[in-house]
Amino acid sequence: MVLISGSGTNLQALIDDLAGQGSLASIVGVIANKADAYGLQRAANAGIATRTLSHRDFVDRAAFDQALQREIDAFNPDLILLAGFMRILTADFVKHYRGRLLNIHPSLLPKHKGLQTHQRALDEGDLEHGATVHFVTEELDGGPLILQSRIKIIQGDDAASLATQVQQQEYLLFPLVVRWFAADRLHLNHDRACLDGGPIPASGLRLEDLESGI
Ligand code: GRF
């Protein structure tokens, strides 16, 4: 199950990856909180069920999250992915999906939680930047880290160029982590992300280490 708010390029990367041979998972549905989210079209094109649930139709955050939870649970998903879902979620919602709710964030967490991550990386003079997939807990962008990918920031980079580069990394990260989960290799044990039974370092695994076989 994938939740989105916008263009859905990460959703597309997941759709494409899961369409590959031998995939252990499939996307049962896509929910957007915005009717004009282009990702809904991407899902429909792939034959995936879609729902729109506008937060503007609810009196408060808790009411929206309760309705969202009902929509999600009707699909009975094993895993829920936040792929550009631009909503802060209530603690009750997050607890309900503990261990099966993942987010992708455009920074090297714990740096730059929240919004405007690319500009903030530039403003702080960071030498590197990237993306992170993590388990979602009650703390915004603060749950146990699973996998990161880094890019170097070079002279002349601006927020737009960083966004483009980081997104290319995101399209690699999220499908890989989903494959781990689908193969029952990835778990949240207490407050630690574990892969193949072993704890993942608090700073997360690095895609570049995996690729070089470390
Ligand atoms: C991604 O950069 C993701 O990290 C952030 O929102 C963006 C979503 O982009 N949370 P898209 O809708 O997948 O194209």
Side-chain angles (χ1 to χ4, degrees), residues 153-189:
I153 298 183
I154 57 169
Q155 209 168 12
D157 268 326
D158 58 15
S161 72
L162 291 184
T164 305
Q165 295 172 73
V166 166
Q167 281 188 335
Q168 294 305 317
Q169 299 306 309
E170 291 183 340
Y171 307 151
L172 304 174
L173 286 184
F174 224 1
L176 178 56
V177 172
V178 169
R179 278 195 237 163
W180 288 344
F181 192 94
D184 206 25
R185 298 176 60 194
L186 177 67
H187 299 99
L188 181 64
N189 290 339

Side-chain angles (χ1 to χ4, degrees), residues 64-83:
F64 173 74
D65 280 10
Q66 283 161 16
L68 181 61
Q69 190 174 309
R70 281 195 294 276
E71 289 282 352
I72 294 170
D73 288 350
F75 286 91
N76 203 18
D78 297 312
L79 177 64
I80 299 99
L81 305 175
L82 306 179

Side-chain angles (χ1 to χ4, degrees), residues 4-12 42 82-86 103-107 118 131-132 163 166-167 170-171:
I4 60 166
S5 298
S7 147
T9 59
N10 275 283
L11 168 67
Q12 189 67 55
R42 296 179 190 274
L82 306 179
F85 188 63
M86 306 305 281
N103 181 43
I104 187 151
H105 182 77
S107 81
H118 311 304
T132 305
V166 166
Q167 281 188 335
E170 291 183 340
Y171 307 151

Side-chain angles (χ1 to χ4, degrees), residues 15-207:
I15 290 171
D16 295 345
D17 188 72
L18 293 173
Q21 278 192 342
S23 173
L24 293 171
S26 61
I27 301 174
V28 290
V30 170
I31 301 179
N33 65 318
K34 294 185 176 176
D36 62 354
Y38 183 66
L40 290 170
Q41 189 63 51
R42 296 179 190 274
N45 292 346
I48 298 169
T50 62
R51 302 278 184 276
T52 302
L53 197 66
S54 173
H55 53 279
R56 298 183 193 283
D57 294 340
F58 295 86
V59 288
D60 59 19
R61 194 176 289 283
F64 173 74
D65 280 10
Q66 283 161 16
L68 181 61
Q69 190 174 309
R70 281 195 294 276
E71 289 282 352
I72 294 170
D73 288 350
F75 286 91
N76 203 18
D78 297 312
L79 177 64
I80 299 99
L81 305 175
L82 306 179
F85 188 63
M86 306 305 281
R87 295 277 308 165
I88 293 175
L89 296 161
T90 54
D92 282 348
F93 180 96
V94 169
K95 275 189 202 140
H96 181 72
Y97 297 110
R98 189 179 167 77
R100 54 194 184 109
L101 182 59
L102 303 179
N103 181 43
I104 187 151
H105 182 77
S107 81
L108 296 174
L109 289 173
K111 292 198 85 161
H112 312 311
K113 297 175 180 177
L115 301 175
Q116 315 290 347
T117 58
H118 311 304
Q119 192 56 51
R120 285 159 59 204
L122 291 168
D123 292 347
E124 292 186 21
D126 293 356
L127 299 175
E128 54 178 18
H129 188 43
T132 305
V133 177
H134 65 96
F135 280 107
V136 177
T137 58
E138 286 93 314
E139 192 198 337
L140 180 68
D141 296 329
L145 307 188
I146 301 168
L147 185 60
Q148 294 192 321
S149 182
R150 338 187 141 238
I151 58 159
K152 285 199 188 325
I153 298 183
I154 57 169
Q155 209 168 12
D157 268 326
D158 58 15
S161 72
L162 291 184
T164 305
Q165 295 172 73
V166 166
Q167 281 188 335
Q168 294 305 317
Q169 299 306 309
E170 291 183 340
Y171 307 151
L172 304 174
L173 286 184
F174 224 1
L176 178 56
V177 172
V178 169
R179 278 195 237 163
W180 288 344
F181 192 94
D184 206 25
R185 298 176 60 194
L186 177 67
H187 299 99
L188 181 64
N189 290 339
H190 303 289
D191 278 326
R192 203 66 187 262
C194 293
L195 184 67
D196 297 330
I200 290 175
S203 56
L205 296 167
R206 292 178 173 211
L207 185 65

